[in-house]
Amino acid sequence: MNILRKIITGLGLAVVIPTLVMLYISNNPSVFAISSRNIITLIVVFISILGIIIFWNLISTISNLSNSLKVIAKGDINHQVKVHPENDIEELTDSINQLSQRMRKNADELEKRAILIERFNQEVKRMSNLRSMYPDIVHELRTPLINIEKSSALLLEKNKGRIDGQDEEFIRTINNNAKRLFRLVDNLLDISKMEAGQLAMNLKKFPVADAVSEAVKSVDNWRQSKNIKLVVKIADGIPLVYASRDRIIQVLVNLISNAIKFTPAEGKITVSAQNCVDLAKAGIPEADEKFIEFFVEDNGTGVPENQRKMIFERYKTASGDSFDNLHSTGLGLPIAKEIVEMHRGRIWLESDQGKGSRFSFIIPEGKENDAG
């Protein structure tokens, strides 16, 4: 029996029925004998008392429910509402108990999430502490690498012609790998500087041919160790470019290094620079300023089509049978992209899997009053 029916029944028994009966007897005294009126009066009193009892039980139950809700509202979500079976307000009681159970489950879930959030915050704090130490740790790696590279280069120079071919090859391998590790360390430092907005861009005018020549020279020992042919093509009429010479060299070194990785022994790499005559291929609308175009082309493994979009993303390298042995941080190409874009340029990839790749980038010729 729901609460509304109990209220109506209680009111009917305690007030309405007795009142109507007594009014009827009062208005029709001749109809009932005195004894009959006394019996009816007793019955009416009994009915009224029954109604009052029903009302009292109802009020008691509602008071109990109210107190239980107050207990739950204060935070005791484990509290269970109990009523006597004869009070028979199961629906409301069940609803309150179900609400309490849901609140308890939600509280348990929130507690679990709070624990996870706390652990996450602790991990973020730990990673933040490690990240603050990261540049210093990486920088500490540079000194021993410089010593290894310089010492091995000195051994090769001083003992040229005096050591057998195998020993010379061992020393050359040490020197090549020290240079490669040194470039990886520099890449890690550059990423840290980029994230902090502190990457140096020393702008000045310089000949494009000089930058290409220095980039090729810095990876020449590694290229020779794989017997890869490298062709340099510098078009006539390229003006001096106003840019960061060291950063453009870095871009070229990263692209040439990438080509050497994926070009088989006896392969071929072409490095070229020319005046850009077609800005549309770089996704740049027609502009008043002039651009210089560079490209590094190889006849290596190529890049699968489904991996070309992510190849310029940080810490990601192309995956596949021909890429699994790549001992790289996955930073060379992303760094190249950011440096080119810092020069207001564009970089893109064209590749034919199994036949080779061509990485191209363009930068404005630039003027000394450019912001950089």
Side-chain angles (χ1 to χ4, degrees), residues 11 61 104 155 326:
L11 283 173
T61 300
R104 184 163 58 252
L155 277 173
L326 176 59

Side-chain angles (χ1 to χ4, degrees), residues 255-266:
L255 295 181
I256 298 170
S257 297
N258 187 74
I260 293 173
K261 284 175 195 169
F262 301 116
T263 300
E266 312 297 334

Side-chain angles (χ1 to χ4, degrees), residues 84-350:
H84 297 294
E86 56 270 18
N87 289 330
D88 200 28
I89 310 183
E90 289 86 1
E91 290 184 10
L92 182 57
T93 304
D94 290 343
S95 297
I96 294 174
N97 285 333
Q98 288 173 12
L99 176 62
S100 178
Q101 290 173 2
R102 283 197 296 270
M103 290 175 64
R104 184 163 58 252
K105 289 180 180 179
N106 291 338
D108 291 342
E109 184 65 25
L110 287 173
E111 186 176 358
K112 290 178 183 178
R113 292 186 181 184
I115 293 172
L116 291 176
I117 291 172
E118 178 62 25
R119 290 177 181 174
F120 176 77
N121 288 336
Q122 290 176 357
E123 185 66 16
V124 168
K125 185 177 180 181
R126 187 181 71 84
M127 293 301 293
S128 178
N129 292 335
L130 288 176
R131 190 172 182 176
S132 64
M133 298 168 58
Y134 168 77
D136 295 333
I137 295 172
V138 175
H139 192 76
E140 286 297 317
L141 296 173
R142 298 177 88 252
T143 301
L145 287 174
I146 291 174
N147 290 335
I148 294 171
E149 192 274 326
K150 297 298 183 185
S151 298
S152 57
L154 188 61
L155 277 173
L156 286 172
E157 184 180 348
K158 283 191 172 184
N159 294 283
K160 190 174 183 179
R162 294 193 299 170
I163 55 177
D164 61 44
Q166 188 176 26
D167 288 342
E168 183 178 357
E169 185 62 28
F170 287 153
I171 298 173
R172 195 176 300 280
T173 298
I174 293 171
N175 183 258
N176 290 340
N177 282 283
K179 287 180 177 178
R180 291 165 67 187
L181 285 171
F182 187 77
R183 284 193 293 272
L184 291 177
V185 168
D186 277 348
N187 283 341
L188 291 170
L189 285 172
D190 284 341
I191 281 291
S192 178
K193 292 175 183 177
M194 285 177 178
E195 291 176 346
Q198 299 174 348
L199 187 67
M201 296 286 286
N202 183 21
L203 303 179
K204 60 183 179 181
K205 283 189 174 182
F206 63 90
V208 167
D210 288 355
V212 173
S213 176
E214 186 166 337
V216 168
K217 183 180 178 182
S218 69
V219 295
D220 203 48
N221 286 338
W222 184 18
R223 175 191 65 82
Q224 290 181 23
S225 70
K226 295 183 68 174
N227 294 320
I228 293 174
K229 181 180 179 181
L230 192 146
V231 178
V232 176
K233 296 180 180 179
I234 307 295
D236 295 330
I238 300 179
L240 296 177
V241 63
Y242 184 72
S244 174
R245 182 178 183 275
D246 291 341
R247 296 305 175 188
I248 295 302
I249 291 173
Q250 184 179 3
V251 172
L252 289 167
V253 168
N254 286 353
L255 295 181
I256 298 170
S257 297
N258 187 74
I260 293 173
K261 284 175 195 169
F262 301 116
T263 300
E266 312 297 334
K268 179 182 177 181
I269 295 174
T270 301
V271 182
S272 177
Q274 61 190 24
N275 290 309
C276 181
V277 295
D278 185 8
L279 293 176
K281 64 183 177 183
I284 296 179
E286 291 299 322
D288 294 334
E289 58 187 334
K290 297 179 181 179
F291 285 77
I292 310 299
E293 179 180 359
F294 301 81
F295 72 79
V296 176
E297 187 173 26
D298 64 69
N299 63 347
T301 57
V303 181
E305 185 174 358
N306 63 347
Q307 297 169 7
R308 292 173 194 171
K309 289 184 178 180
M310 75 173 199
I311 202 166
F312 290 107
E313 296 179 22
R314 293 181 186 178
Y315 307 110
K316 290 185 179 180
T317 56
S319 60
D321 293 341
S322 58
F323 290 80
D324 288 342
N325 60 355
L326 176 59
H327 43 290
S328 167
T329 58
L331 294 176
L333 295 177
I335 288 174
K337 179 177 182 289
E338 294 201 34
I339 291 174
V340 169
E341 290 180 350
M342 289 172 73
H343 283 85
R344 297 181 293 111
R346 295 289 186 276
I347 188 170
W348 68 96
L349 163 68
E350 300 166 90

